[in-house]
Amino acid sequence: MKPVIIAAALSAAMGATAVQAESPFSTTGYLRIGVGESAGGDLAAMQLNGAWAKYRLGNEDDFYGEFGIGIDAPLGNGSAVIGGLRYHIAGDSNDLTDRGSFDASVALREAWLGYRGLGAGALDEAAIWAGRRYYKRKDIHINDFYYESYSNFDGYGLGVENIALSYGTLSVAGFRERFNRVHTYDARLENIALAENWTGEIGVAFADARGDATGDNGIALRGHVQRDGFFGGYMKASLMYSNGAAFGFSADGAPDVGKDRSLLRAQMHGLVPLDDRTELFFVALHQIDDNDGEQSKWTSLGLRPHYALSDNFAIATEIGYDRVSDDSGDRDLLKGTLAGIYTFGQSGFWDRPQLRAYVTRGSWSDVGAISKQEAYGTNTAGTTVGLQLETWF
């Protein structure tokens, strides 16, 4: 069964279409795959120890694909059956070379079913659902950081979403961690009109530690705002706090985290056009992991300008800086990438597929500051070159 799933995922990611437009079924997919070298050896991504993410352009040493099938089947009363099924395939890019031994993992990521159109008025677009799903994730694209992810990859959940209120839309959900050590209950009010071009969201989650969990119950509080039309683009900002079993803003929780450990996170990111051909993605992030007075602070700043040379060619550069301060001292990583891109006739920042040839240079504060120091010997700087294809639909 697994080879069939893998073949379907790769075929769909490259653009094959097997479902007619009028069908209640739809497909979705993603693929990134490539090869390269770091310091003349195996490809090794540069990520600072203690940082929760890395800047990804020319800095990914894995291959990853997803293939999903969704259903939105209208019923005679104006309601609909909704749901989805999604698998992923993942592995090490070095396994694709003559030096590697191919090995990949295949996993179920989504399997859920729901019913939309629970009634009239506030319930007209409301839906009830159950299963495993990507639930209202929030991410920063250029460092692939999901700063809020109540997607229950290892357990299951159920909820009611999109209840229309006069001041926003309400969604509530509950999730069970795979080993039944944490139950997380989440409520959020989305699409709050704040001012012209400004919308907001507030959320709260309670994590109940149970069974053989060694941690304590916890709570997560989140506030998000979005500004559309921000210098012609958009901007998103957040302020978030969590502790105990709610640490990390995850549906699966943190079963072994005590009430004396907390996480405070603030982030801002967005995409703005600089002219007709140039777009700029920006990131500013800071978080404090406080474990009963012992703190680890992570600061991250990043820029990715994307310049369209023509309909088929573009150039992207990316500069990312990460700094971590904890009881072992301070360490940092500065990473820069230059990529030439073939865009297959669509050259915007979000357009895919993209075939990239890149060179990446990174420097870090001391030996061992990055997670894959062994790839660079005792150096505190290194260069990576490679070729990568990324596409989604």
Side-chain angles (χ1 to χ4, degrees):
M1 183 65 180
K2 287 185 178 181
V4 175
I5 296 168
I6 296 171
L10 295 177
S11 175
M14 295 305 298
T17 303
V19 182
Q20 298 299 318
E22 63 270 16
S23 169
F25 296 97
S26 61
T27 58
T28 183
Y30 174 83
L31 175 68
R32 67 169 178 263
I33 189 167
V35 292
E37 289 189 348
S38 297
D42 284 349
L43 185 62
M46 304 174 195
Q47 180 166 347
L48 188 67
N49 286 328
W52 289 40
K54 64 182 185 300
Y55 287 93
R56 64 190 295 191
L57 184 66
N59 195 34
E60 293 175 304
D61 56 6
D62 65 337
F63 64 87
Y64 182 85
E66 290 183 343
F67 177 70
I69 298 174
I71 182 173
D72 192 329
L75 302 176
N77 59 358
S79 58
V81 174
I82 57 176
L85 182 71
R86 187 187 313 237
Y87 276 86
H88 89 206
I89 177 174
D92 188 337
S93 291
N94 295 296
D95 289 344
L96 304 176
T97 70
D98 56 6
R99 298 188 299 266
S101 176
F102 184 79
D103 185 27
S105 65
V106 177
L108 176 67
R109 301 304 262 172
E110 287 192 292
W112 67 280
L113 198 63
Y115 177 84
R116 186 181 66 240
L118 299 179
L123 299 179
D124 185 51
E125 292 296 322
I128 186 169
W129 64 272
R132 177 183 296 180
R133 66 178 292 195
Y134 290 167
Y135 184 72
K136 301 180 182 292
R137 301 188 298 172
K138 295 177 171 59
D139 76 300
I140 302 172
H141 175 71
I142 68 171
N143 61 355
D144 205 23
F145 181 48
Y146 286 86
Y147 57 95
E148 180 184 310
S149 181
Y150 284 89
S151 305
N152 49 330
F153 297 138
D154 292 326
Y156 293 89
L158 56 86
V160 179
E161 61 182 349
N162 301 330
I163 301 170
L165 305 176
S166 59
Y167 39 82
T169 55
L170 175 66
S171 299
V172 294
F175 305 95
R176 185 180 78 96
E177 185 259 351
R178 177 183 179 184
F179 299 106
N180 201 30
R181 296 175 299 172
V182 177
H183 288 187
T184 298
Y185 308 97
D186 178 73
R188 62 186 69 202
L189 189 63
E190 303 168 282
N191 304 311
I192 305 169
L194 301 175
E196 184 178 3
N197 295 327
W198 285 91
T199 55
E201 176 184 333
I202 55 175
V204 58
F206 173 74
D208 179 19
R210 53 177 57 208
D212 60 359
T214 61
D216 300 311
N217 296 344
I219 191 168
L221 306 173
R222 300 105 56 193
H224 308 285
V225 294
Q226 178 167 334
R227 170 73 157 88
D228 294 320
F230 181 74
F231 294 100
Y234 72 89
M235 181 274 295
K236 298 180 181 181
S238 309
L239 183 62
M240 311 164 67
Y241 171 86
S242 64
N243 69 359
F247 182 91
F249 312 102
S250 162
D252 293 322
D256 300 320
V257 173
K259 62 183 178 181
D260 292 330
R261 186 174 183 184
S262 65
L263 187 70
L264 180 65
R265 176 180 295 158
Q267 70 82 28
M268 180 176 69
H269 75 277
L271 178 68
V272 295
L274 300 182
D275 57 38
D276 291 342
R277 290 180 173 270
T278 309
E279 299 170 90
L280 176 67
F281 198 107
F282 61 91
V283 179
L285 182 150
H286 183 69
Q287 75 173 27
I288 302 172
D289 179 349
D290 189 326
N291 189 3
D292 196 20
E294 296 183 4
Q295 294 187 345
S296 175
K297 299 178 181 180
W298 171 40
T299 301
S300 188
L301 302 170
L303 296 171
R304 186 195 290 187
H306 176 97
Y307 178 70
L309 294 169
S310 67
D311 289 342
N312 287 301
F313 293 95
I315 293 175
T317 61
E318 184 178 86
I319 299 175
Y321 175 77
D322 290 295
R323 182 180 181 85
V324 171
S325 302
D326 55 26
D327 56 2
S328 65
D330 300 332
R331 54 191 175 275
D332 56 27
L333 166 65
L334 178 65
K335 169 262 182 195
T337 296
L338 175 64
I341 306 170
Y342 181 69
T343 64
F344 299 86
Q346 301 181 89
S347 56
F349 183 91
W350 294 116
D351 290 327
R352 298 295 186 274
Q354 290 186 353
L355 179 62
R356 309 172 182 132
Y358 64 83
V359 57
T360 295
R361 181 70 176 175
S363 62
W364 47 98
S365 53
D366 53 84
V367 177
I370 63 171
S371 58
K372 296 184 177 180
Q373 177 67 57
E374 64 275 9
Y376 302 94
T378 58
N379 295 326
T380 56
T383 301
T384 291
V385 295
L387 188 69
Q388 184 190 55
L389 173 73
E390 182 181 48
T391 187
W392 58 58
F393 62 92

